[in-house]
Amino acid sequence: MRRQSSLARLLGSAAVTAILAAGLGGCQTMADVKGALTSKSEPALASDADPRRAAEVYGERYRANPKDADAALAYGQALRTTGQRAQAVAVLEQATIAHPGNTALLAGYGRALADNGNSQAAFDVLSRAHSPDNPDWRILSVQGTALDKLGKHEEARRYYTTALKIVPDEPSVLSNLGLSYMLTRDLPDAEQTLRRAYGNPRADGRVRQNLALVVGLQGRFAEAETIAKGDLPADEATANVTYLREMLSRKDNPRSGGKTVPVAALNRPD
């Protein structure tokens, strides 16, 4: 249990919002999205320090008037923050029905679908949340992660590339791009991209942990542990790398029966 908890901290991530699943060798790689929709399309929570309180506040406001678009958007964000993904989808779906042209609601709904693993639906909804003549790099990044989960990696990378034309060297987009390369076993490209992300002063600790993961997947466990220690207590960083080493060993062991093992997680924005 301790190792699973520390692994979650190493492989768990932030900013943007879906779960990627694709083969990495014999392993199953899970990834959540980083760099998705932030304050540009969604209101701030009532209390960043107490998301459950924010869910209560916005929930009361939403129930008082379910057709209040701002309340629905804020309530949906609060539900996602507290892990109530299916409920967030339901709330935002109804809101988009009531306000079909509201792009902020469409963005929030698409994000909630991505959180909930509905990748194709998320991509379709997000396509309606912005337009080619006015693209939102955050939405492009989320669409990329949805495509990665669908196994459309080359297409996903075109979305990341387009986003990077708008915000060059944005670490959250680079992190998603690096993990996209990881999903297709292009580990040197993944490492190079994640190092570029990590070199940005705005990169957070989750970029570091993604870099540590990719380095570890290439068998450089000591280096991965050194990288991971920048954000985690030494004992947890060591446990993470030990678990990764054992996991890869099981992958290569024919007696393991070829079972897939959860390896990695991408990032969430809020």
Side-chain angles (χ1 to χ4, degrees):
M1 183 65 68
R2 166 67 183 226
R3 280 183 179 173
Q4 290 177 347
S5 174
S6 61
L7 182 69
R9 290 190 57 180
L10 169 63
L11 304 182
S13 322
V16 154
T17 94
I19 296 213
L20 295 177
L24 177 62
C27 293
Q28 182 84 8
T29 302
M30 302 301 296
D32 193 11
V33 181
K34 178 181 172 73
L37 313 173
T38 55
S39 58
K40 178 174 180 179
S41 59
E42 298 174 349
L45 294 177
S47 172
D48 290 336
D50 190 355
R52 295 195 178 279
R53 175 57 182 161
E56 292 175 3
V57 170
Y58 286 121
E60 291 176 3
R61 180 178 163 188
Y62 170 77
R63 285 185 288 273
N65 182 9
K67 293 188 177 181
D68 183 335
D70 290 339
L73 190 58
Y75 186 36
Q77 182 187 0
L79 289 170
R80 291 201 319 274
T81 302
T82 55
Q84 301 176 75
R85 296 175 174 178
Q87 189 174 351
V89 168
V91 167
L92 290 166
E93 180 180 22
Q94 291 303 310
T96 58
I97 292 173
H99 305 275
N102 188 315
T103 55
L105 279 174
L106 286 169
Y109 178 38
R111 165 69 186 279
L113 286 166
D115 280 347
N116 204 43
N118 306 108
S119 301
Q120 185 62 62
F123 180 85
D124 294 341
V125 169
L126 290 169
S127 296
R128 295 156 47 205
H130 65 157
S131 60
D133 62 330
N134 187 26
D136 185 328
W137 68 266
R138 298 167 181 84
I139 297 177
L140 289 167
S141 188
V142 183
Q143 288 180 289
T145 60
L147 289 166
D148 265 326
K149 182 175 179 182
L150 293 168
K152 301 177 180 180
H153 305 298
E154 291 298 328
E155 187 177 352
R157 291 164 199 168
R158 288 198 291 271
Y159 277 77
Y160 300 135
T161 299
T162 301
L164 289 169
K165 289 179 181 178
I166 302 171
V167 282
D169 293 322
E170 166 57 39
S172 63
V173 181
L174 287 170
S175 184
N176 280 346
L177 176 59
L179 291 174
S180 179
Y181 284 128
M182 183 191 71
L183 296 177
T184 54
R185 301 183 297 278
D186 299 323
L187 296 181
D189 285 339
E191 180 181 349
Q192 181 182 30
T193 304
L194 285 165
R195 286 194 183 278
R196 181 179 164 197
Y198 181 62
N200 190 303
R202 292 183 291 107
D204 61 22
R206 291 159 295 197
V207 174
R208 176 195 290 268
Q209 299 309 322
N210 288 334
L211 176 59
L213 170 66
V214 169
V215 169
L217 286 171
Q218 295 176 82
R220 289 152 39 209
F221 298 109
E223 183 180 354
E225 185 174 335
T226 299
I227 294 170
K229 283 179 180 177
D231 300 293
L232 298 178
D235 61 335
E236 291 194 15
T238 300
N240 285 333
V241 175
T242 299
Y243 186 78
L244 177 61
R245 188 195 300 265
E246 292 175 352
M247 181 174 54
L248 293 176
S249 176
R250 289 199 299 272
K251 172 180 74 74
D252 294 331
N253 187 345
R255 288 179 297 176
S256 67
K259 295 181 180 179
T260 58
V261 183
V263 177
L266 269 172
N267 307 309
R268 297 187 56 183
D270 43 324

